[in-house]
Every structure is written in C-alpha cells, then in structure tokens.
PDB file of all heavy atoms in Angstrom:
ATOM      1  N   ALA C   1      -5.627 -37.273 -83.045  1.00  0.00           N
ATOM      2  CA  ALA C   1      -4.447 -36.456 -82.766  1.00  0.00           C
ATOM      3  C   ALA C   1      -4.705 -34.996 -83.107  1.00  0.00           C
ATOM      4  O   ALA C   1      -4.302 -34.091 -82.375  1.00  0.00           O
ATOM      5  CB  ALA C   1      -3.245 -36.982 -83.548  1.00  0.00           C
ATOM      6  N   LYS C   2      -5.399 -34.773 -84.214  1.00  0.00           N
ATOM      7  CA  LYS C   2      -5.738 -33.411 -84.632  1.00  0.00           C
ATOM      8  C   LYS C   2      -6.645 -32.745 -83.591  1.00  0.00           C
ATOM      9  O   LYS C   2      -6.440 -31.590 -83.220  1.00  0.00           O
ATOM     10  CB  LYS C   2      -6.434 -33.463 -85.995  1.00  0.00           C
ATOM     11  CG  LYS C   2      -6.426 -32.160 -86.736  1.00  0.00           C
ATOM     12  CD  LYS C   2      -7.160 -32.196 -88.061  1.00  0.00           C
ATOM     13  CE  LYS C   2      -6.953 -33.424 -88.904  1.00  0.00           C
ATOM     14  NZ  LYS C   2      -7.554 -33.323 -90.233  1.00  0.00           N
ATOM     15  N   ALA C   3      -7.635 -33.486 -83.110  1.00  0.00           N
ATOM     16  CA  ALA C   3      -8.559 -32.959 -82.105  1.00  0.00           C
ATOM     17  C   ALA C   3      -7.841 -32.666 -80.791  1.00  0.00           C
ATOM     18  O   ALA C   3      -8.118 -31.660 -80.130  1.00  0.00           O
ATOM     19  CB  ALA C   3      -9.702 -33.940 -81.879  1.00  0.00           C
ATOM     20  N   GLU C   4      -6.913 -33.540 -80.414  1.00  0.00           N
ATOM     21  CA  GLU C   4      -6.152 -33.333 -79.184  1.00  0.00           C
ATOM     22  C   GLU C   4      -5.300 -32.072 -79.272  1.00  0.00           C
ATOM     23  O   GLU C   4      -5.251 -31.271 -78.340  1.00  0.00           O
ATOM     24  CB  GLU C   4      -5.277 -34.558 -78.891  1.00  0.00           C
ATOM     25  CG  GLU C   4      -4.372 -34.413 -77.692  1.00  0.00           C
ATOM     26  CD  GLU C   4      -5.112 -34.399 -76.357  1.00  0.00           C
ATOM     27  OE1 GLU C   4      -6.343 -34.561 -76.322  1.00  0.00           O
ATOM     28  OE2 GLU C   4      -4.431 -34.207 -75.332  1.00  0.00           O
ATOM     29  N   LEU C   5      -4.620 -31.859 -80.393  1.00  0.00           N
ATOM     30  CA  LEU C   5      -3.827 -30.643 -80.567  1.00  0.00           C
ATOM     31  C   LEU C   5      -4.710 -29.397 -80.556  1.00  0.00           C
ATOM     32  O   LEU C   5      -4.339 -28.370 -79.974  1.00  0.00           O
ATOM     33  CB  LEU C   5      -3.012 -30.700 -81.857  1.00  0.00           C
ATOM     34  CG  LEU C   5      -1.752 -31.547 -81.804  1.00  0.00           C
ATOM     35  CD1 LEU C   5      -1.141 -31.684 -83.193  1.00  0.00           C
ATOM     36  CD2 LEU C   5      -0.737 -30.946 -80.833  1.00  0.00           C
ATOM     37  N   ALA C   6      -5.879 -29.474 -81.176  1.00  0.00           N
ATOM     38  CA  ALA C   6      -6.803 -28.338 -81.180  1.00  0.00           C
ATOM     39  C   ALA C   6      -7.265 -28.015 -79.761  1.00  0.00           C
ATOM     40  O   ALA C   6      -7.352 -26.847 -79.372  1.00  0.00           O
ATOM     41  CB  ALA C   6      -8.000 -28.635 -82.081  1.00  0.00           C
ATOM     42  N   ARG C   7      -7.546 -29.059 -78.972  1.00  0.00           N
ATOM     43  CA  ARG C   7      -7.956 -28.862 -77.578  1.00  0.00           C
ATOM     44  C   ARG C   7      -6.840 -28.219 -76.771  1.00  0.00           C
ATOM     45  O   ARG C   7      -7.057 -27.246 -76.033  1.00  0.00           O
ATOM     46  CB  ARG C   7      -8.358 -30.200 -76.951  1.00  0.00           C
ATOM     47  CG  ARG C   7      -8.846 -30.073 -75.504  1.00  0.00           C
ATOM     48  CD  ARG C   7      -9.052 -31.440 -74.861  1.00  0.00           C
ATOM     49  NE  ARG C   7      -7.825 -32.200 -74.691  1.00  0.00           N
ATOM     50  CZ  ARG C   7      -6.916 -31.984 -73.740  1.00  0.00           C
ATOM     51  NH1 ARG C   7      -7.087 -31.010 -72.860  1.00  0.00           N
ATOM     52  NH2 ARG C   7      -5.841 -32.745 -73.651  1.00  0.00           N
ATOM     53  N   LEU C   8      -5.612 -28.729 -76.925  1.00  0.00           N
ATOM     54  CA  LEU C   8      -4.473 -28.175 -76.195  1.00  0.00           C
ATOM     55  C   LEU C   8      -4.201 -26.726 -76.592  1.00  0.00           C
ATOM     56  O   LEU C   8      -3.877 -25.892 -75.746  1.00  0.00           O
ATOM     57  CB  LEU C   8      -3.234 -29.042 -76.427  1.00  0.00           C
ATOM     58  CG  LEU C   8      -3.266 -30.434 -75.799  1.00  0.00           C
ATOM     59  CD1 LEU C   8      -2.089 -31.270 -76.307  1.00  0.00           C
ATOM     60  CD2 LEU C   8      -3.263 -30.347 -74.284  1.00  0.00           C
ATOM     61  N   LEU C   9      -4.338 -26.419 -77.877  1.00  0.00           N
ATOM     62  CA  LEU C   9      -4.137 -25.054 -78.354  1.00  0.00           C
ATOM     63  C   LEU C   9      -5.172 -24.111 -77.746  1.00  0.00           C
ATOM     64  O   LEU C   9      -4.834 -23.022 -77.273  1.00  0.00           O
ATOM     65  CB  LEU C   9      -4.201 -25.004 -79.877  1.00  0.00           C
ATOM     66  CG  LEU C   9      -4.047 -23.624 -80.504  1.00  0.00           C
ATOM     67  CD1 LEU C   9      -2.632 -23.089 -80.289  1.00  0.00           C
ATOM     68  CD2 LEU C   9      -4.366 -23.674 -81.989  1.00  0.00           C
ATOM     69  N   THR C  10      -6.427 -24.536 -77.718  1.00  0.00           N
ATOM     70  CA  THR C  10      -7.493 -23.721 -77.140  1.00  0.00           C
ATOM     71  C   THR C  10      -7.235 -23.458 -75.660  1.00  0.00           C
ATOM     72  O   THR C  10      -7.385 -22.330 -75.179  1.00  0.00           O
ATOM     73  CB  THR C  10      -8.860 -24.408 -77.335  1.00  0.00           C
ATOM     74  OG1 THR C  10      -9.088 -24.568 -78.733  1.00  0.00           O
ATOM     75  CG2 THR C  10      -9.983 -23.605 -76.720  1.00  0.00           C
ATOM     76  N   GLU C  11      -6.833 -24.494 -74.943  1.00  0.00           N
ATOM     77  CA  GLU C  11      -6.546 -24.341 -73.510  1.00  0.00           C
ATOM     78  C   GLU C  11      -5.351 -23.420 -73.276  1.00  0.00           C
ATOM     79  O   GLU C  11      -5.379 -22.574 -72.379  1.00  0.00           O
ATOM     80  CB  GLU C  11      -6.296 -25.701 -72.872  1.00  0.00           C
ATOM     81  CG  GLU C  11      -7.544 -26.547 -72.760  1.00  0.00           C
ATOM     82  CD  GLU C  11      -7.281 -27.940 -72.217  1.00  0.00           C
ATOM     83  OE1 GLU C  11      -6.125 -28.251 -71.841  1.00  0.00           O
ATOM     84  OE2 GLU C  11      -8.239 -28.730 -72.178  1.00  0.00           O
ATOM     85  N   ALA C  12      -4.306 -23.574 -74.080  1.00  0.00           N
ATOM     86  CA  ALA C  12      -3.114 -22.728 -73.913  1.00  0.00           C
ATOM     87  C   ALA C  12      -3.425 -21.266 -74.235  1.00  0.00           C
ATOM     88  O   ALA C  12      -2.933 -20.356 -73.568  1.00  0.00           O
ATOM     89  CB  ALA C  12      -1.980 -23.239 -74.795  1.00  0.00           C
ATOM     90  N   ALA C  13      -4.248 -21.038 -75.255  1.00  0.00           N
ATOM     91  CA  ALA C  13      -4.604 -19.670 -75.632  1.00  0.00           C
ATOM     92  C   ALA C  13      -5.494 -19.014 -74.578  1.00  0.00           C
ATOM     93  O   ALA C  13      -5.437 -17.800 -74.382  1.00  0.00           O
ATOM     94  CB  ALA C  13      -5.295 -19.660 -76.992  1.00  0.00           C
ATOM     95  N   ALA C  14      -6.303 -19.809 -73.884  1.00  0.00           N
ATOM     96  CA  ALA C  14      -7.237 -19.274 -72.901  1.00  0.00           C
ATOM     97  C   ALA C  14      -6.599 -19.009 -71.542  1.00  0.00           C
ATOM     98  O   ALA C  14      -7.106 -18.214 -70.758  1.00  0.00           O
ATOM     99  CB  ALA C  14      -8.410 -20.233 -72.729  1.00  0.00           C
ATOM    100  N   MET C  15      -5.479 -19.666 -71.262  1.00  0.00           N
ATOM    101  CA  MET C  15      -4.853 -19.535 -69.948  1.00  0.00           C
ATOM    102  C   MET C  15      -3.919 -18.323 -69.929  1.00  0.00           C
ATOM    103  O   MET C  15      -3.027 -18.222 -70.771  1.00  0.00           O
ATOM    104  CB  MET C  15      -4.059 -20.805 -69.609  1.00  0.00           C
ATOM    105  CG  MET C  15      -3.521 -20.819 -68.186  1.00  0.00           C
ATOM    106  SD  MET C  15      -2.766 -22.398 -67.746  1.00  0.00           S
ATOM    107  CE  MET C  15      -4.229 -23.363 -67.425  1.00  0.00           C
ATOM    108  N   PRO C  16      -4.128 -17.414 -68.985  1.00  0.00           N
ATOM    109  CA  PRO C  16      -3.258 -16.235 -68.916  1.00  0.00           C
ATOM    110  C   PRO C  16      -1.809 -16.636 -68.650  1.00  0.00           C
ATOM    111  O   PRO C  16      -1.541 -17.566 -67.896  1.00  0.00           O
ATOM    112  CB  PRO C  16      -3.803 -15.430 -67.742  1.00  0.00           C
ATOM    113  CG  PRO C  16      -5.055 -16.097 -67.313  1.00  0.00           C
ATOM    114  CD  PRO C  16      -5.122 -17.441 -67.942  1.00  0.00           C
ATOM    115  N   GLN C  17      -0.900 -15.905 -69.288  1.00  0.00           N
ATOM    116  CA  GLN C  17       0.522 -16.199 -69.117  1.00  0.00           C
ATOM    117  C   GLN C  17       0.952 -15.812 -67.715  1.00  0.00           C
ATOM    118  O   GLN C  17       0.523 -14.801 -67.167  1.00  0.00           O
ATOM    119  CB  GLN C  17       1.340 -15.425 -70.146  1.00  0.00           C
ATOM    120  CG  GLN C  17       2.796 -15.816 -70.151  1.00  0.00           C
ATOM    121  CD  GLN C  17       3.546 -15.204 -71.325  1.00  0.00           C
ATOM    122  OE1 GLN C  17       2.950 -14.606 -72.209  1.00  0.00           O
ATOM    123  NE2 GLN C  17       4.840 -15.328 -71.315  1.00  0.00           N
ATOM    124  N   GLU C  18       1.817 -16.643 -67.131  1.00  0.00           N
ATOM    125  CA  GLU C  18       2.307 -16.380 -65.783  1.00  0.00           C
ATOM    126  C   GLU C  18       3.258 -15.192 -65.794  1.00  0.00           C
ATOM    127  O   GLU C  18       3.958 -14.946 -66.776  1.00  0.00           O
ATOM    128  CB  GLU C  18       3.010 -17.615 -65.230  1.00  0.00           C
ATOM    129  CG  GLU C  18       2.076 -18.796 -65.052  1.00  0.00           C
ATOM    130  CD  GLU C  18       2.773 -20.041 -64.541  1.00  0.00           C
ATOM    131  OE1 GLU C  18       3.974 -19.985 -64.253  1.00  0.00           O
ATOM    132  OE2 GLU C  18       2.093 -21.065 -64.432  1.00  0.00           O
ATOM    133  N   GLU C  19       3.264 -14.464 -64.687  1.00  0.00           N
ATOM    134  CA  GLU C  19       4.172 -13.324 -64.546  1.00  0.00           C
ATOM    135  C   GLU C  19       5.606 -13.828 -64.447  1.00  0.00           C
ATOM    136  O   GLU C  19       5.880 -14.806 -63.767  1.00  0.00           O
ATOM    137  CB  GLU C  19       3.829 -12.523 -63.285  1.00  0.00           C
ATOM    138  CG  GLU C  19       2.512 -11.804 -63.362  1.00  0.00           C
ATOM    139  CD  GLU C  19       2.549 -10.637 -64.322  1.00  0.00           C
ATOM    140  OE1 GLU C  19       3.574  -9.935 -64.387  1.00  0.00           O
ATOM    141  OE2 GLU C  19       1.536 -10.428 -65.025  1.00  0.00           O
ATOM    142  N   GLN C  20       6.488 -13.125 -65.123  1.00  0.00           N
ATOM    143  CA  GLN C  20       7.902 -13.472 -65.067  1.00  0.00           C
ATOM    144  C   GLN C  20       8.559 -12.543 -64.059  1.00  0.00           C
ATOM    145  O   GLN C  20       8.465 -11.327 -64.174  1.00  0.00           O
ATOM    146  CB  GLN C  20       8.545 -13.317 -66.441  1.00  0.00           C
ATOM    147  CG  GLN C  20       9.955 -13.830 -66.504  1.00  0.00           C
ATOM    148  CD  GLN C  20      10.468 -13.881 -67.932  1.00  0.00           C
ATOM    149  OE1 GLN C  20       9.708 -13.915 -68.878  1.00  0.00           O
ATOM    150  NE2 GLN C  20      11.770 -13.875 -68.070  1.00  0.00           N
ATOM    151  N   ALA C  21       9.204 -13.106 -63.051  1.00  0.00           N
ATOM    152  CA  ALA C  21       9.806 -12.324 -61.979  1.00  0.00           C
ATOM    153  C   ALA C  21      11.000 -11.510 -62.446  1.00  0.00           C
ATOM    154  O   ALA C  21      11.460 -10.632 -61.762  1.00  0.00           O
ATOM    155  CB  ALA C  21      10.221 -13.248 -60.843  1.00  0.00           C
ATOM    156  N   GLY C  22      11.518 -11.764 -63.588  1.00  0.00           N
ATOM    157  CA  GLY C  22      12.692 -11.087 -64.111  1.00  0.00           C
ATOM    158  C   GLY C  22      13.339 -11.980 -65.148  1.00  0.00           C
ATOM    159  O   GLY C  22      12.844 -13.048 -65.451  1.00  0.00           O
ATOM    160  N   ARG C  23      14.420 -11.528 -65.691  1.00  0.00           N
ATOM    161  CA  ARG C  23      15.121 -12.337 -66.687  1.00  0.00           C
ATOM    162  C   ARG C  23      15.741 -13.553 -66.040  1.00  0.00           C
ATOM    163  O   ARG C  23      16.361 -13.464 -65.001  1.00  0.00           O
ATOM    164  CB  ARG C  23      16.216 -11.511 -67.350  1.00  0.00           C
ATOM    165  CG  ARG C  23      15.784 -10.887 -68.632  1.00  0.00           C
ATOM    166  CD  ARG C  23      16.954 -10.171 -69.266  1.00  0.00           C
ATOM    167  NE  ARG C  23      17.715 -11.012 -70.142  1.00  0.00           N
ATOM    168  CZ  ARG C  23      17.506 -11.106 -71.436  1.00  0.00           C
ATOM    169  NH1 ARG C  23      16.546 -10.429 -71.977  1.00  0.00           N
ATOM    170  NH2 ARG C  23      18.252 -11.878 -72.184  1.00  0.00           N
ATOM    171  N   VAL C  24      15.554 -14.678 -66.674  1.00  0.00           N
ATOM    172  CA  VAL C  24      16.171 -15.910 -66.194  1.00  0.00           C
ATOM    173  C   VAL C  24      17.273 -16.273 -67.178  1.00  0.00           C
ATOM    174  O   VAL C  24      17.033 -16.426 -68.375  1.00  0.00           O
ATOM    175  CB  VAL C  24      15.132 -17.056 -66.093  1.00  0.00           C
ATOM    176  CG1 VAL C  24      15.814 -18.348 -65.703  1.00  0.00           C
ATOM    177  CG2 VAL C  24      14.052 -16.685 -65.105  1.00  0.00           C
ATOM    178  N   ARG C  25      18.450 -16.395 -66.664  1.00  0.00           N
ATOM    179  CA  ARG C  25      19.604 -16.697 -67.500  1.00  0.00           C
ATOM    180  C   ARG C  25      19.444 -18.077 -68.134  1.00  0.00           C
ATOM    181  O   ARG C  25      19.039 -19.028 -67.472  1.00  0.00           O
ATOM    182  CB  ARG C  25      20.853 -16.657 -66.634  1.00  0.00           C
ATOM    183  CG  ARG C  25      22.105 -16.742 -67.402  1.00  0.00           C
ATOM    184  CD  ARG C  25      23.268 -16.575 -66.475  1.00  0.00           C
ATOM    185  NE  ARG C  25      24.478 -16.710 -67.267  1.00  0.00           N
ATOM    186  CZ  ARG C  25      25.658 -16.403 -66.835  1.00  0.00           C
ATOM    187  NH1 ARG C  25      25.800 -15.959 -65.608  1.00  0.00           N
ATOM    188  NH2 ARG C  25      26.702 -16.550 -67.595  1.00  0.00           N
ATOM    189  N   ASP C  26      19.722 -18.158 -69.408  1.00  0.00           N
ATOM    190  CA  ASP C  26      19.716 -19.412 -70.164  1.00  0.00           C
ATOM    191  C   ASP C  26      18.330 -20.050 -70.313  1.00  0.00           C
ATOM    192  O   ASP C  26      18.233 -21.248 -70.554  1.00  0.00           O
ATOM    193  CB  ASP C  26      20.690 -20.430 -69.564  1.00  0.00           C
ATOM    194  CG  ASP C  26      22.116 -19.911 -69.568  1.00  0.00           C
ATOM    195  OD1 ASP C  26      22.471 -19.174 -70.516  1.00  0.00           O
ATOM    196  OD2 ASP C  26      22.869 -20.215 -68.640  1.00  0.00           O
ATOM    197  N   ALA C  27      17.268 -19.269 -70.156  1.00  0.00           N
ATOM    198  CA  ALA C  27      15.925 -19.814 -70.356  1.00  0.00           C
ATOM    199  C   ALA C  27      15.617 -19.886 -71.853  1.00  0.00           C
ATOM    200  O   ALA C  27      15.985 -19.004 -72.619  1.00  0.00           O
ATOM    201  CB  ALA C  27      14.886 -18.944 -69.664  1.00  0.00           C
ATOM    202  N   MET C  28      14.962 -20.954 -72.260  1.00  0.00           N
ATOM    203  CA  MET C  28      14.511 -21.092 -73.640  1.00  0.00           C
ATOM    204  C   MET C  28      13.178 -20.363 -73.784  1.00  0.00           C
ATOM    205  O   MET C  28      12.375 -20.338 -72.859  1.00  0.00           O
ATOM    206  CB  MET C  28      14.305 -22.561 -74.005  1.00  0.00           C
ATOM    207  CG  MET C  28      15.579 -23.371 -74.089  1.00  0.00           C
ATOM    208  SD  MET C  28      16.568 -22.944 -75.529  1.00  0.00           S
ATOM    209  CE  MET C  28      15.520 -23.495 -76.860  1.00  0.00           C
ATOM    210  N   SER C  29      12.956 -19.804 -74.964  1.00  0.00           N
ATOM    211  CA  SER C  29      11.679 -19.187 -75.301  1.00  0.00           C
ATOM    212  C   SER C  29      11.087 -19.938 -76.480  1.00  0.00           C
ATOM    213  O   SER C  29      11.821 -20.474 -77.313  1.00  0.00           O
ATOM    214  CB  SER C  29      11.873 -17.716 -75.664  1.00  0.00           C
ATOM    215  OG  SER C  29      12.331 -17.000 -74.544  1.00  0.00           O
ATOM    216  N   TYR C  30       9.762 -19.973 -76.553  1.00  0.00           N
ATOM    217  CA  TYR C  30       9.071 -20.756 -77.567  1.00  0.00           C
ATOM    218  C   TYR C  30       7.952 -19.929 -78.196  1.00  0.00           C
ATOM    219  O   TYR C  30       7.243 -19.207 -77.502  1.00  0.00           O
ATOM    220  CB  TYR C  30       8.451 -22.015 -76.957  1.00  0.00           C
ATOM    221  CG  TYR C  30       9.431 -22.828 -76.163  1.00  0.00           C
ATOM    222  CD1 TYR C  30       9.579 -22.638 -74.790  1.00  0.00           C
ATOM    223  CD2 TYR C  30      10.236 -23.774 -76.785  1.00  0.00           C
ATOM    224  CE1 TYR C  30      10.492 -23.374 -74.057  1.00  0.00           C
ATOM    225  CE2 TYR C  30      11.156 -24.516 -76.068  1.00  0.00           C
ATOM    226  CZ  TYR C  30      11.281 -24.305 -74.698  1.00  0.00           C
ATOM    227  OH  TYR C  30      12.196 -25.035 -73.981  1.00  0.00           O
ATOM    228  N   THR C  31       7.799 -20.080 -79.497  1.00  0.00           N
ATOM    229  CA  THR C  31       6.679 -19.486 -80.211  1.00  0.00           C
ATOM    230  C   THR C  31       5.981 -20.608 -80.961  1.00  0.00           C
ATOM    231  O   THR C  31       6.597 -21.300 -81.770  1.00  0.00           O
ATOM    232  CB  THR C  31       7.144 -18.407 -81.210  1.00  0.00           C
ATOM    233  OG1 THR C  31       7.851 -17.390 -80.499  1.00  0.00           O
ATOM    234  CG2 THR C  31       5.963 -17.789 -81.940  1.00  0.00           C
ATOM    235  N   ILE C  32       4.692 -20.784 -80.667  1.00  0.00           N
ATOM    236  CA  ILE C  32       3.867 -21.764 -81.361  1.00  0.00           C
ATOM    237  C   ILE C  32       2.858 -20.982 -82.195  1.00  0.00           C
ATOM    238  O   ILE C  32       2.151 -20.120 -81.673  1.00  0.00           O
ATOM    239  CB  ILE C  32       3.138 -22.693 -80.369  1.00  0.00           C
ATOM    240  CG1 ILE C  32       4.170 -23.519 -79.575  1.00  0.00           C
ATOM    241  CG2 ILE C  32       2.165 -23.613 -81.111  1.00  0.00           C
ATOM    242  CD1 ILE C  32       3.577 -24.332 -78.454  1.00  0.00           C
ATOM    243  N   THR C  33       2.827 -21.280 -83.485  1.00  0.00           N
ATOM    244  CA  THR C  33       1.900 -20.609 -84.394  1.00  0.00           C
ATOM    245  C   THR C  33       0.996 -21.650 -85.022  1.00  0.00           C
ATOM    246  O   THR C  33       1.468 -22.669 -85.520  1.00  0.00           O
ATOM    247  CB  THR C  33       2.675 -19.854 -85.505  1.00  0.00           C
ATOM    248  OG1 THR C  33       3.607 -18.959 -84.885  1.00  0.00           O
ATOM    249  CG2 THR C  33       1.731 -19.071 -86.391  1.00  0.00           C
ATOM    250  N   ALA C  34      -0.305 -21.372 -84.980  1.00  0.00           N
ATOM    251  CA  ALA C  34      -1.291 -22.278 -85.573  1.00  0.00           C
ATOM    252  C   ALA C  34      -2.178 -21.487 -86.519  1.00  0.00           C
ATOM    253  O   ALA C  34      -2.712 -20.442 -86.141  1.00  0.00           O
ATOM    254  CB  ALA C  34      -2.125 -22.938 -84.488  1.00  0.00           C
ATOM    255  N   GLU C  35      -2.316 -21.986 -87.733  1.00  0.00           N
ATOM    256  CA  GLU C  35      -3.187 -21.363 -88.724  1.00  0.00           C
ATOM    257  C   GLU C  35      -4.407 -22.250 -88.919  1.00  0.00           C
ATOM    258  O   GLU C  35      -4.275 -23.433 -89.207  1.00  0.00           O
ATOM    259  CB  GLU C  35      -2.450 -21.190 -90.046  1.00  0.00           C
ATOM    260  CG  GLU C  35      -1.276 -20.246 -89.953  1.00  0.00           C
ATOM    261  CD  GLU C  35      -0.545 -20.090 -91.275  1.00  0.00           C
ATOM    262  OE1 GLU C  35      -1.189 -20.220 -92.336  1.00  0.00           O
ATOM    263  OE2 GLU C  35       0.662 -19.854 -91.225  1.00  0.00           O
ATOM    264  N   THR C  36      -5.587 -21.651 -88.732  1.00  0.00           N
ATOM    265  CA  THR C  36      -6.840 -22.380 -88.910  1.00  0.00           C
ATOM    266  C   THR C  36      -7.749 -21.526 -89.786  1.00  0.00           C
ATOM    267  O   THR C  36      -8.229 -20.496 -89.341  1.00  0.00           O
ATOM    268  CB  THR C  36      -7.538 -22.610 -87.555  1.00  0.00           C
ATOM    269  OG1 THR C  36      -6.574 -22.811 -86.546  1.00  0.00           O
ATOM    270  CG2 THR C  36      -8.454 -23.798 -87.611  1.00  0.00           C
TER     271      THR C  36
END
C-alpha cells in the first residue's frame, strides 16, 4: 500500500495540471501534502 501511494504521488506530481477554463461554481478544491 505504501509503494502504491508513492507511485501514485510520483505520477500525480509529474503530470502537468490541466488548464482551467474559468471558475466553476461549487467545485471542490484539494490539497495533498506528502512529507518524505
């Protein structure tokens, strides 16, 4: 499970964030923080 989370974190950090076309009403925002 630890290795899977590390893999997912690496992939998410490496993938460029998609462009946001503008403000979306009622959209949730998320912050994931990992300390290694």
Side-chain angles (χ1 to χ4, degrees):
K2 199 182 319 187
E4 176 70 3
L5 282 172
R7 182 188 66 77
L8 291 170
L9 178 68
T10 300
E11 289 176 4
M15 187 173 282
Q17 188 171 352
E18 296 178 4
E19 292 289 322
Q20 188 170 339
R23 265 184 90 93
V24 175
R25 189 175 178 168
D26 300 326
M28 291 289 294
S29 295
Y30 308 92
T31 301
I32 296 173
T33 305
E35 296 180 30
T36 326

